[in-house]
Amino acid sequence: MVDVLPALSIPVVVSASGVYAACDCWWRRRHPAPPSPYTHHAARLAERDMLLRAEEIVDDAYAALGPLYDRPAAAEAPADPSAGLKPRPDATPDRAPSPPAPAQKP
C-alpha cells in the first residue's frame, strides 16, 4: 500500500498540470494583457537615441568627406544655361504647343 500512493500521485500531478495549462491558455486568449507603456516608452527612447547616433555619424562623415564633393570654383556652370544652345529653325518661340508634324507617306 505504501508504493501505490506515490505511483498514483504522478499521473494525478501530470493531469492536474495539463488541465491548469489548458485553462490558463484559454484564459489568456480571452483576456489578452494590454500593451505595456514601459515597452513603448523604451522603444521611443531607443529610436531617439538611434536617430541621434545616426545624425552624429552623418555629420562626422560630411565633415571628413565634404570637401571631396564641393564643386571647384572654376568648374561652375554658366549663369545662363541656354547660352550655348541654338534653337532649331522649326521650333516654336513661345511655350504654346507645337503644331502637329505633317503626315509622312510611305
Side-chain angles (χ1 to χ4, degrees):
M1 185 70 174
V2 175
D3 294 336
V4 174
L5 188 60
L8 291 178
S9 68
I10 292 173
V12 169
V13 169
V14 169
S15 299
S17 64
V19 169
Y20 175 79
C23 292
D24 185 48
C25 182
W26 175 84
W27 178 261
R28 289 186 187 271
R29 283 186 185 169
R30 299 294 188 270
H31 305 90
S36 173
Y38 299 111
T39 304
H40 293 292
H41 184 64
R44 283 193 300 268
L45 289 176
E47 180 181 1
R48 186 180 307 151
D49 185 44
M50 179 185 63
L51 287 175
L52 288 175
R53 287 185 184 176
E55 286 179 4
E56 289 175 3
I57 291 171
V58 169
D59 290 341
D60 291 344
Y62 183 75
L65 302 175
L68 295 175
Y69 294 104
D70 290 338
R71 299 173 93 188
E76 289 186 14
D80 187 14
S82 63
L85 300 177
K86 295 179 184 174
R88 291 180 21 194
D90 59 344
T92 56
D94 57 357
R95 294 188 181 265
S98 299
Q104 296 180 357
K105 295 181 183 179

Tab-separated table of all heavy atoms in Angstrom, residues 17-82:
chain	number	residue	atom	x	y	z
A	17	SER	N	-1.588	19.377	-13.933
A	17	SER	CA	-0.801	20.421	-14.596
A	17	SER	C	-1.282	20.632	-16.033
A	17	SER	O	-1.281	21.766	-16.531
A	17	SER	CB	0.686	20.075	-14.562
A	17	SER	OG	0.929	18.893	-15.304
A	18	GLY	N	-1.717	19.578	-16.703
A	18	GLY	CA	-2.266	19.715	-18.056
A	18	GLY	C	-3.566	20.497	-18.060
A	18	GLY	O	-3.786	21.359	-18.924
A	19	VAL	N	-4.445	20.203	-17.109
A	19	VAL	CA	-5.703	20.944	-17.001
A	19	VAL	C	-5.418	22.409	-16.678
A	19	VAL	O	-6.033	23.317	-17.255
A	19	VAL	CB	-6.621	20.297	-15.935
A	19	VAL	CG1	-7.799	21.195	-15.616
A	19	VAL	CG2	-7.087	18.935	-16.403
A	20	TYR	N	-4.478	22.673	-15.772
A	20	TYR	CA	-4.125	24.052	-15.433
A	20	TYR	C	-3.568	24.784	-16.652
A	20	TYR	O	-3.924	25.934	-16.912
A	20	TYR	CB	-3.095	24.071	-14.295
A	20	TYR	CG	-2.607	25.455	-13.986
A	20	TYR	CD1	-3.381	26.325	-13.223
A	20	TYR	CD2	-1.384	25.909	-14.472
A	20	TYR	CE1	-2.948	27.615	-12.950
A	20	TYR	CE2	-0.941	27.194	-14.214
A	20	TYR	CZ	-1.723	28.040	-13.449
A	20	TYR	OH	-1.297	29.313	-13.188
A	21	ALA	N	-2.707	24.142	-17.429
A	21	ALA	CA	-2.125	24.776	-18.613
A	21	ALA	C	-3.200	25.076	-19.657
A	21	ALA	O	-3.197	26.156	-20.275
A	21	ALA	CB	-1.039	23.877	-19.208
A	22	ALA	N	-4.143	24.147	-19.847
A	22	ALA	CA	-5.216	24.373	-20.811
A	22	ALA	C	-6.109	25.533	-20.370
A	22	ALA	O	-6.483	26.389	-21.191
A	22	ALA	CB	-6.029	23.094	-20.992
A	23	CYS	N	-6.444	25.580	-19.095
A	23	CYS	CA	-7.288	26.672	-18.587
A	23	CYS	C	-6.547	28.014	-18.651
A	23	CYS	O	-7.150	29.042	-18.994
A	23	CYS	CB	-7.726	26.382	-17.156
A	23	CYS	SG	-8.876	24.997	-17.046
A	24	ASP	N	-5.285	28.012	-18.345
A	24	ASP	CA	-4.508	29.244	-18.396
A	24	ASP	C	-4.404	29.749	-19.832
A	24	ASP	O	-4.540	30.953	-20.093
A	24	ASP	CB	-3.114	28.997	-17.820
A	24	ASP	CG	-2.294	30.269	-17.743
A	24	ASP	OD1	-2.829	31.283	-17.252
A	24	ASP	OD2	-1.131	30.250	-18.176
A	25	CYS	N	-4.200	28.859	-20.781
A	25	CYS	CA	-4.125	29.230	-22.192
A	25	CYS	C	-5.471	29.798	-22.654
A	25	CYS	O	-5.526	30.816	-23.340
A	25	CYS	CB	-3.730	28.014	-23.020
A	25	CYS	SG	-3.557	28.347	-24.768
A	26	TRP	N	-6.561	29.155	-22.288
A	26	TRP	CA	-7.887	29.631	-22.656
A	26	TRP	C	-8.141	31.026	-22.069
A	26	TRP	O	-8.651	31.910	-22.743
A	26	TRP	CB	-8.944	28.638	-22.156
A	26	TRP	CG	-10.339	29.111	-22.385
A	26	TRP	CD1	-11.061	28.980	-23.535
A	26	TRP	CD2	-11.167	29.802	-21.456
A	26	TRP	NE1	-12.292	29.552	-23.382
A	26	TRP	CE2	-12.387	30.074	-22.094
A	26	TRP	CE3	-10.997	30.231	-20.148
A	26	TRP	CZ2	-13.422	30.739	-21.475
A	26	TRP	CZ3	-12.043	30.888	-19.527
A	26	TRP	CH2	-13.234	31.141	-20.191
A	27	TRP	N	-7.779	31.217	-20.799
A	27	TRP	CA	-7.997	32.496	-20.142
A	27	TRP	C	-7.182	33.617	-20.805
A	27	TRP	O	-7.688	34.707	-21.030
A	27	TRP	CB	-7.646	32.383	-18.655
A	27	TRP	CG	-7.810	33.686	-17.930
A	27	TRP	CD1	-6.848	34.579	-17.608
A	27	TRP	CD2	-9.037	34.239	-17.459
A	27	TRP	NE1	-7.386	35.653	-16.968
A	27	TRP	CE2	-8.745	35.470	-16.849
A	27	TRP	CE3	-10.357	33.816	-17.495
A	27	TRP	CZ2	-9.711	36.281	-16.294
A	27	TRP	CZ3	-11.324	34.623	-16.929
A	27	TRP	CH2	-10.992	35.849	-16.334
A	28	ARG	N	-5.946	33.328	-21.156
A	28	ARG	CA	-5.102	34.357	-21.773
A	28	ARG	C	-5.566	34.709	-23.187
A	28	ARG	O	-5.399	35.833	-23.637
A	28	ARG	CB	-3.650	33.921	-21.791
A	28	ARG	CG	-3.043	33.922	-20.406
A	28	ARG	CD	-1.562	33.622	-20.456
A	28	ARG	NE	-1.040	33.459	-19.122
A	28	ARG	CZ	-0.571	34.470	-18.390
A	28	ARG	NH1	-0.583	35.681	-18.881
A	28	ARG	NH2	-0.106	34.252	-17.178
A	29	ARG	N	-6.168	33.736	-23.886
A	29	ARG	CA	-6.712	34.042	-25.203
A	29	ARG	C	-7.941	34.941	-25.099
A	29	ARG	O	-8.156	35.799	-25.932
A	29	ARG	CB	-7.096	32.762	-25.939
A	29	ARG	CG	-5.926	32.026	-26.504
A	29	ARG	CD	-6.390	30.861	-27.322
A	29	ARG	NE	-5.250	30.081	-27.771
A	29	ARG	CZ	-5.355	28.892	-28.323
A	29	ARG	NH1	-6.541	28.354	-28.490
A	29	ARG	NH2	-4.284	28.250	-28.706
A	30	ARG	N	-8.757	34.707	-24.090
A	30	ARG	CA	-9.975	35.505	-23.927
A	30	ARG	C	-9.689	36.867	-23.302
A	30	ARG	O	-10.431	37.807	-23.534
A	30	ARG	CB	-10.997	34.776	-23.042
A	30	ARG	CG	-11.467	33.456	-23.566
A	30	ARG	CD	-12.259	33.629	-24.861
A	30	ARG	NE	-12.887	32.414	-25.303
A	30	ARG	CZ	-12.336	31.532	-26.115
A	30	ARG	NH1	-11.114	31.718	-26.541
A	30	ARG	NH2	-13.000	30.480	-26.498
A	31	HIS	N	-8.650	37.007	-22.518
A	31	HIS	CA	-8.327	38.242	-21.822
A	31	HIS	C	-6.866	38.609	-22.058
A	31	HIS	O	-6.027	38.430	-21.175
A	31	HIS	CB	-8.574	38.091	-20.311
A	31	HIS	CG	-9.960	37.653	-19.987
A	31	HIS	ND1	-10.305	36.319	-19.877
A	31	HIS	CD2	-11.087	38.368	-19.761
A	31	HIS	CE1	-11.593	36.245	-19.590
A	31	HIS	NE2	-12.100	37.466	-19.509
A	32	PRO	N	-6.543	39.145	-23.252
A	32	PRO	CA	-5.136	39.494	-23.505
A	32	PRO	C	-4.722	40.690	-22.657
A	32	PRO	O	-5.525	41.566	-22.341
A	32	PRO	CB	-5.112	39.845	-24.985
A	32	PRO	CG	-6.517	40.230	-25.305
A	32	PRO	CD	-7.393	39.432	-24.386
A	33	ALA	N	-3.481	40.703	-22.296
A	33	ALA	CA	-2.947	41.794	-21.480
A	33	ALA	C	-2.757	43.027	-22.354
A	33	ALA	O	-2.369	42.920	-23.519
A	33	ALA	CB	-1.615	41.383	-20.859
A	34	PRO	N	-3.034	44.213	-21.820
A	34	PRO	CA	-2.795	45.420	-22.614
A	34	PRO	C	-1.298	45.634	-22.802
A	34	PRO	O	-0.491	45.162	-22.004
A	34	PRO	CB	-3.408	46.534	-21.755
A	34	PRO	CG	-3.387	46.000	-20.365
A	34	PRO	CD	-3.556	44.509	-20.487
A	35	PRO	N	-0.928	46.322	-23.880
A	35	PRO	CA	0.491	46.556	-24.089
A	35	PRO	C	1.066	47.427	-22.983
A	35	PRO	O	0.423	48.346	-22.497
A	35	PRO	CB	0.554	47.265	-25.438
A	35	PRO	CG	-0.803	47.794	-25.658
A	35	PRO	CD	-1.751	46.901	-24.926
A	36	SER	N	2.255	47.131	-22.616
A	36	SER	CA	2.898	47.852	-21.521
A	36	SER	C	3.369	49.221	-22.000
A	36	SER	O	4.034	49.334	-23.025
A	36	SER	CB	4.097	47.053	-21.011
A	36	SER	OG	4.803	47.808	-20.064
A	37	PRO	N	3.020	50.285	-21.258
A	37	PRO	CA	3.506	51.606	-21.668
A	37	PRO	C	5.016	51.730	-21.530
A	37	PRO	O	5.648	52.524	-22.214
A	37	PRO	CB	2.776	52.567	-20.739
A	37	PRO	CG	2.425	51.755	-19.551
A	37	PRO	CD	2.202	50.361	-20.059
A	38	TYR	N	5.592	50.954	-20.638
A	38	TYR	CA	7.045	50.997	-20.468
A	38	TYR	C	7.752	50.468	-21.709
A	38	TYR	O	8.802	50.954	-22.086
A	38	TYR	CB	7.459	50.195	-19.234
A	38	TYR	CG	6.851	50.741	-17.975
A	38	TYR	CD1	5.882	50.038	-17.292
A	38	TYR	CD2	7.222	51.987	-17.481
A	38	TYR	CE1	5.312	50.542	-16.140
A	38	TYR	CE2	6.651	52.503	-16.338
A	38	TYR	CZ	5.703	51.779	-15.665
A	38	TYR	OH	5.143	52.294	-14.551
A	39	THR	N	7.149	49.477	-22.360
A	39	THR	CA	7.743	48.917	-23.568
A	39	THR	C	7.733	49.961	-24.682
A	39	THR	O	8.719	50.147	-25.385
A	39	THR	CB	6.970	47.669	-24.007
A	39	THR	OG1	6.949	46.750	-22.923
A	39	THR	CG2	7.611	47.015	-25.209
A	40	HIS	N	6.592	50.653	-24.860
A	40	HIS	CA	6.505	51.674	-25.900
A	40	HIS	C	7.441	52.842	-25.594
A	40	HIS	O	8.076	53.389	-26.492
A	40	HIS	CB	5.068	52.174	-26.041
A	40	HIS	CG	4.135	51.133	-26.560
A	40	HIS	ND1	4.208	50.649	-27.840
A	40	HIS	CD2	3.119	50.476	-25.975
A	40	HIS	CE1	3.277	49.745	-28.025
A	40	HIS	NE2	2.593	49.617	-26.907
A	41	HIS	N	7.503	53.215	-24.339
A	41	HIS	CA	8.386	54.316	-23.952
A	41	HIS	C	9.848	53.941	-24.208
A	41	HIS	O	10.630	54.754	-24.714
A	41	HIS	CB	8.163	54.669	-22.484
A	41	HIS	CG	8.953	55.849	-22.018
A	41	HIS	ND1	8.757	57.111	-22.515
A	41	HIS	CD2	9.963	55.952	-21.124
A	41	HIS	CE1	9.598	57.946	-21.941
A	41	HIS	NE2	10.346	57.261	-21.085
A	42	ALA	N	10.211	52.709	-23.859
A	42	ALA	CA	11.588	52.257	-24.096
A	42	ALA	C	11.884	52.226	-25.599
A	42	ALA	O	12.987	52.584	-26.029
A	42	ALA	CB	11.802	50.883	-23.481
A	43	ALA	N	10.900	51.831	-26.407
A	43	ALA	CA	11.113	51.801	-27.858
A	43	ALA	C	11.296	53.211	-28.399
A	43	ALA	O	12.143	53.449	-29.269
A	43	ALA	CB	9.941	51.114	-28.546
A	44	ARG	N	10.512	54.171	-27.904
A	44	ARG	CA	10.668	55.550	-28.358
A	44	ARG	C	12.036	56.109	-27.961
A	44	ARG	O	12.678	56.817	-28.735
A	44	ARG	CB	9.551	56.417	-27.775
A	44	ARG	CG	8.220	56.236	-28.487
A	44	ARG	CD	7.248	57.323	-28.079
A	44	ARG	NE	6.978	57.339	-26.658
A	44	ARG	CZ	5.982	56.699	-26.051
A	44	ARG	NH1	5.164	55.967	-26.772
A	44	ARG	NH2	5.804	56.774	-24.749
A	45	LEU	N	12.460	55.815	-26.728
A	45	LEU	CA	13.775	56.290	-26.299
A	45	LEU	C	14.888	55.678	-27.136
A	45	LEU	O	15.848	56.357	-27.513
A	45	LEU	CB	13.984	55.975	-24.814
A	45	LEU	CG	13.154	56.803	-23.831
A	45	LEU	CD1	13.398	56.318	-22.412
A	45	LEU	CD2	13.494	58.268	-23.952
A	46	ALA	N	14.775	54.381	-27.429
A	46	ALA	CA	15.790	53.719	-28.245
A	46	ALA	C	15.802	54.290	-29.661
A	46	ALA	O	16.868	54.474	-30.257
A	46	ALA	CB	15.527	52.216	-28.288
A	47	GLU	N	14.614	54.602	-30.206
A	47	GLU	CA	14.556	55.184	-31.545
A	47	GLU	C	15.195	56.573	-31.557
A	47	GLU	O	15.947	56.904	-32.471
A	47	GLU	CB	13.100	55.275	-31.982
A	47	GLU	CG	12.915	55.856	-33.368
A	47	GLU	CD	11.457	55.956	-33.755
A	47	GLU	OE1	10.591	55.590	-32.954
A	47	GLU	OE2	11.194	56.420	-34.862
A	48	ARG	N	14.915	57.367	-30.541
A	48	ARG	CA	15.504	58.708	-30.470
A	48	ARG	C	17.026	58.619	-30.353
A	48	ARG	O	17.756	59.359	-31.004
A	48	ARG	CB	14.924	59.448	-29.270
A	48	ARG	CG	15.373	60.899	-29.225
A	48	ARG	CD	14.801	61.640	-28.046
A	48	ARG	NE	13.361	61.507	-27.993
A	48	ARG	CZ	12.648	61.552	-26.873
A	48	ARG	NH1	13.249	61.723	-25.717
A	48	ARG	NH2	11.336	61.437	-26.889
A	49	ASP	N	17.508	57.679	-29.531
A	49	ASP	CA	18.947	57.503	-29.373
A	49	ASP	C	19.587	57.055	-30.681
A	49	ASP	O	20.665	57.536	-31.059
A	49	ASP	CB	19.210	56.489	-28.261
A	49	ASP	CG	20.678	56.345	-27.951
A	49	ASP	OD1	21.364	57.387	-27.860
A	49	ASP	OD2	21.146	55.196	-27.805
A	50	MET	N	18.909	56.162	-31.409
A	50	MET	CA	19.434	55.680	-32.675
A	50	MET	C	19.503	56.825	-33.692
A	50	MET	O	20.485	56.949	-34.432
A	50	MET	CB	18.552	54.564	-33.213
A	50	MET	CG	19.004	54.008	-34.548
A	50	MET	SD	17.878	52.804	-35.244
A	50	MET	CE	16.416	53.776	-35.478
A	51	LEU	N	18.469	57.686	-33.727
A	51	LEU	CA	18.487	58.803	-34.658
A	51	LEU	C	19.594	59.799	-34.327
A	51	LEU	O	20.252	60.329	-35.232
A	51	LEU	CB	17.134	59.513	-34.661
A	51	LEU	CG	16.002	58.754	-35.349
A	51	LEU	CD1	14.683	59.487	-35.173
A	51	LEU	CD2	16.309	58.563	-36.814
A	52	LEU	N	19.816	60.045	-33.048
A	52	LEU	CA	20.894	60.952	-32.661
A	52	LEU	C	22.254	60.396	-33.060
A	52	LEU	O	23.112	61.133	-33.557
A	52	LEU	CB	20.850	61.214	-31.157
A	52	LEU	CG	19.692	62.093	-30.675
A	52	LEU	CD1	19.685	62.172	-29.154
A	52	LEU	CD2	19.806	63.480	-31.274
A	53	ARG	N	22.445	59.095	-32.865
A	53	ARG	CA	23.717	58.477	-33.273
A	53	ARG	C	23.892	58.531	-34.781
A	53	ARG	O	24.990	58.774	-35.288
A	53	ARG	CB	23.786	57.032	-32.784
A	53	ARG	CG	23.997	56.927	-31.310
A	53	ARG	CD	24.171	55.494	-30.888
A	53	ARG	NE	24.278	55.399	-29.446
A	53	ARG	CZ	24.366	54.263	-28.813
A	53	ARG	NH1	24.364	53.129	-29.472
A	53	ARG	NH2	24.462	54.238	-27.497
A	54	ALA	N	22.811	58.297	-35.530
A	54	ALA	CA	22.895	58.341	-36.991
A	54	ALA	C	23.232	59.754	-37.458
A	54	ALA	O	24.033	59.936	-38.383
A	54	ALA	CB	21.583	57.874	-37.615
A	55	GLU	N	22.619	60.758	-36.822
A	55	GLU	CA	22.944	62.136	-37.189
A	55	GLU	C	24.409	62.452	-36.907
A	55	GLU	O	25.069	63.123	-37.704
A	55	GLU	CB	22.053	63.105	-36.424
A	55	GLU	CG	20.628	63.160	-36.922
A	55	GLU	CD	19.777	64.115	-36.104
A	55	GLU	OE1	20.321	64.783	-35.205
A	55	GLU	OE2	18.574	64.183	-36.374
A	56	GLU	N	24.928	61.974	-35.791
A	56	GLU	CA	26.337	62.194	-35.471
A	56	GLU	C	27.247	61.540	-36.508
A	56	GLU	O	28.245	62.130	-36.945
A	56	GLU	CB	26.665	61.657	-34.084
A	56	GLU	CG	26.061	62.464	-32.954
A	56	GLU	CD	26.311	61.820	-31.601
A	56	GLU	OE1	26.995	60.779	-31.537
A	56	GLU	OE2	25.821	62.365	-30.599
A	57	ILE	N	26.892	60.327	-36.929
A	57	ILE	CA	27.702	59.620	-37.923
A	57	ILE	C	27.697	60.372	-39.246
A	57	ILE	O	28.737	60.570	-39.890
A	57	ILE	CB	27.193	58.174	-38.100
A	57	ILE	CG1	27.494	57.357	-36.834
A	57	ILE	CG2	27.803	57.513	-39.322
A	57	ILE	CD1	26.850	55.996	-36.809
A	58	VAL	N	26.509	60.834	-39.668
A	58	VAL	CA	26.419	61.551	-40.933
A	58	VAL	C	27.164	62.881	-40.847
A	58	VAL	O	27.881	63.264	-41.784
A	58	VAL	CB	24.940	61.757	-41.320
A	58	VAL	CG1	24.804	62.721	-42.483
A	58	VAL	CG2	24.290	60.435	-41.659
A	59	ASP	N	27.021	63.583	-39.728
A	59	ASP	CA	27.729	64.859	-39.577
A	59	ASP	C	29.242	64.666	-39.597
A	59	ASP	O	29.964	65.444	-40.227
A	59	ASP	CB	27.302	65.556	-38.285
A	59	ASP	CG	25.874	66.064	-38.360
A	59	ASP	OD1	25.340	66.199	-39.479
A	59	ASP	OD2	25.296	66.326	-37.280
A	60	ASP	N	29.719	63.630	-38.904
A	60	ASP	CA	31.157	63.361	-38.905
A	60	ASP	C	31.650	62.993	-40.300
A	60	ASP	O	32.718	63.432	-40.738
A	60	ASP	CB	31.497	62.237	-37.923
A	60	ASP	CG	31.294	62.657	-36.467
A	60	ASP	OD1	31.194	63.879	-36.209
A	60	ASP	OD2	31.227	61.754	-35.605
A	61	ALA	N	30.867	62.178	-41.011
A	61	ALA	CA	31.269	61.786	-42.362
A	61	ALA	C	31.271	62.981	-43.296
A	61	ALA	O	32.168	63.133	-44.129
A	61	ALA	CB	30.336	60.700	-42.893
A	62	TYR	N	30.279	63.859	-43.154
A	62	TYR	CA	30.249	65.039	-44.023
A	62	TYR	C	31.404	65.980	-43.703
A	62	TYR	O	31.999	66.571	-44.608
A	62	TYR	CB	28.925	65.775	-43.879
A	62	TYR	CG	28.822	66.950	-44.815
A	62	TYR	CD1	28.589	66.752	-46.166
A	62	TYR	CD2	28.994	68.246	-44.347
A	62	TYR	CE1	28.521	67.817	-47.035
A	62	TYR	CE2	28.928	69.323	-45.209
A	62	TYR	CZ	28.683	69.110	-46.559
A	62	TYR	OH	28.627	70.171	-47.412
A	63	ALA	N	31.721	66.105	-42.415
A	63	ALA	CA	32.843	66.971	-42.044
A	63	ALA	C	34.153	66.420	-42.607
A	63	ALA	O	35.031	67.174	-43.038
A	63	ALA	CB	32.924	67.099	-40.533
A	64	ALA	N	34.285	65.096	-42.623
A	64	ALA	CA	35.523	64.496	-43.109
A	64	ALA	C	35.580	64.442	-44.638
A	64	ALA	O	36.632	64.655	-45.236
A	64	ALA	CB	35.673	63.084	-42.543
A	65	LEU	N	34.452	64.148	-45.290
A	65	LEU	CA	34.469	63.927	-46.732
A	65	LEU	C	33.787	65.027	-47.526
A	65	LEU	O	33.747	64.965	-48.754
A	65	LEU	CB	33.776	62.594	-47.055
A	65	LEU	CG	34.386	61.367	-46.378
A	65	LEU	CD1	33.550	60.142	-46.658
A	65	LEU	CD2	35.805	61.164	-46.842
A	66	GLY	N	33.238	66.036	-46.858
A	66	GLY	CA	32.532	67.106	-47.553
A	66	GLY	C	33.363	67.834	-48.576
A	66	GLY	O	32.881	68.134	-49.680
A	67	PRO	N	34.619	68.155	-48.288
A	67	PRO	CA	35.423	68.867	-49.300
A	67	PRO	C	35.608	68.080	-50.598
A	67	PRO	O	35.828	68.671	-51.644
A	67	PRO	CB	36.765	69.070	-48.599
A	67	PRO	CG	36.442	69.046	-47.145
A	67	PRO	CD	35.298	68.095	-47.006
A	68	LEU	N	35.499	66.769	-50.557
A	68	LEU	CA	35.630	65.986	-51.786
A	68	LEU	C	34.463	66.231	-52.732
A	68	LEU	O	34.603	66.090	-53.949
A	68	LEU	CB	35.714	64.499	-51.460
A	68	LEU	CG	36.945	64.050	-50.679
A	68	LEU	CD1	36.828	62.582	-50.336
A	68	LEU	CD2	38.196	64.304	-51.490
A	69	TYR	N	33.293	66.559	-52.190
A	69	TYR	CA	32.102	66.722	-53.009
A	69	TYR	C	31.798	68.164	-53.356
A	69	TYR	O	30.894	68.426	-54.119
A	69	TYR	CB	30.890	66.110	-52.286
A	69	TYR	CG	31.017	64.622	-52.154
A	69	TYR	CD1	31.361	64.031	-50.941
A	69	TYR	CD2	30.811	63.786	-53.242
A	69	TYR	CE1	31.482	62.662	-50.817
A	69	TYR	CE2	30.932	62.425	-53.139
A	69	TYR	CZ	31.267	61.870	-51.924
A	69	TYR	OH	31.388	60.523	-51.806
A	70	ASP	N	32.515	69.119	-52.816
A	70	ASP	CA	32.299	70.518	-53.153
A	70	ASP	C	32.792	70.768	-54.571
A	70	ASP	O	33.836	70.251	-54.990
A	70	ASP	CB	33.031	71.440	-52.173
A	70	ASP	CG	32.390	71.407	-50.796
A	70	ASP	OD1	31.195	71.043	-50.718
A	70	ASP	OD2	33.081	71.735	-49.810
A	71	ARG	N	32.048	71.605	-55.317
A	71	ARG	CA	32.427	71.915	-56.686
A	71	ARG	C	33.553	72.935	-56.670
A	71	ARG	O	33.504	73.907	-55.932
A	71	ARG	CB	31.247	72.484	-57.436
A	71	ARG	CG	30.081	71.516	-57.507
A	71	ARG	CD	28.897	72.197	-58.107
A	71	ARG	NE	28.917	71.947	-59.542
A	71	ARG	CZ	28.101	72.521	-60.397
A	71	ARG	NH1	27.243	73.412	-59.987
A	71	ARG	NH2	28.149	72.220	-61.668
A	72	PRO	N	34.543	72.767	-57.499
A	72	PRO	CA	35.580	73.784	-57.598
A	72	PRO	C	35.002	75.054	-58.227
A	72	PRO	O	34.058	75.015	-59.001
A	72	PRO	CB	36.648	73.165	-58.475
A	72	PRO	CG	36.098	71.896	-58.988
A	72	PRO	CD	34.836	71.587	-58.270
A	73	ALA	N	35.579	76.195	-57.900
A	73	ALA	CA	35.065	77.483	-58.372
A	73	ALA	C	35.178	77.613	-59.884
A	73	ALA	O	34.345	78.240	-60.527
A	73	ALA	CB	35.804	78.613	-57.683
A	74	ALA	N	36.182	77.034	-60.509
A	74	ALA	CA	36.391	77.179	-61.950
A	74	ALA	C	35.422	76.324	-62.756
A	74	ALA	O	35.148	76.622	-63.909
A	74	ALA	CB	37.815	76.792	-62.307
A	75	ALA	N	34.887	75.275	-62.200
A	75	ALA	CA	34.030	74.355	-62.949
A	75	ALA	C	32.555	74.669	-62.770
A	75	ALA	O	31.715	73.853	-63.095
A	75	ALA	CB	34.308	72.928	-62.507
A	76	GLU	N	32.212	75.849	-62.286
A	76	GLU	CA	30.806	76.172	-62.092
A	76	GLU	C	30.135	76.346	-63.452
A	76	GLU	O	30.747	76.750	-64.432
A	76	GLU	CB	30.665	77.448	-61.270
A	76	GLU	CG	31.054	77.249	-59.819
A	76	GLU	CD	30.761	78.489	-58.985
A	76	GLU	OE1	30.030	79.364	-59.471
A	76	GLU	OE2	31.276	78.561	-57.876
A	77	ALA	N	28.837	76.084	-63.480
A	77	ALA	CA	28.064	76.192	-64.712
A	77	ALA	C	27.860	77.669	-65.049
A	77	ALA	O	27.856	78.521	-64.169
A	77	ALA	CB	26.725	75.510	-64.535
A	78	PRO	N	27.698	78.008	-66.321
A	78	PRO	CA	27.445	79.405	-66.689
A	78	PRO	C	26.112	79.878	-66.109
A	78	PRO	O	25.217	79.089	-65.846
A	78	PRO	CB	27.419	79.389	-68.213
A	78	PRO	CG	27.187	77.976	-68.592
A	78	PRO	CD	27.732	77.140	-67.483
A	79	ALA	N	25.990	81.186	-65.932
A	79	ALA	CA	24.785	81.751	-65.334
A	79	ALA	C	23.585	81.528	-66.228
A	79	ALA	O	22.493	81.257	-65.758
A	79	ALA	CB	24.990	83.235	-65.060
A	80	ASP	N	23.739	81.624	-67.550
A	80	ASP	CA	22.641	81.419	-68.482
A	80	ASP	C	22.782	80.022	-69.096
A	80	ASP	O	23.668	79.798	-69.921
A	80	ASP	CB	22.668	82.493	-69.569
A	80	ASP	CG	21.449	82.421	-70.478
A	80	ASP	OD1	20.471	81.730	-70.100
A	80	ASP	OD2	21.484	83.046	-71.544
A	81	PRO	N	21.919	79.071	-68.716
A	81	PRO	CA	22.100	77.704	-69.227
A	81	PRO	C	21.824	77.586	-70.719
A	81	PRO	O	22.291	76.673	-71.366
A	81	PRO	CB	21.116	76.880	-68.412
A	81	PRO	CG	20.119	77.836	-67.883
A	81	PRO	CD	20.812	79.156	-67.778
A	82	SER	N	21.080	78.523	-71.302
A	82	SER	CA	20.773	78.409	-72.724
A	82	SER	C	21.760	79.169	-73.595
A	82	SER	O	21.495	79.388	-74.776
A	82	SER	CB	19.359	78.925	-72.979
A	82	SER	OG	19.290	80.298	-72.642
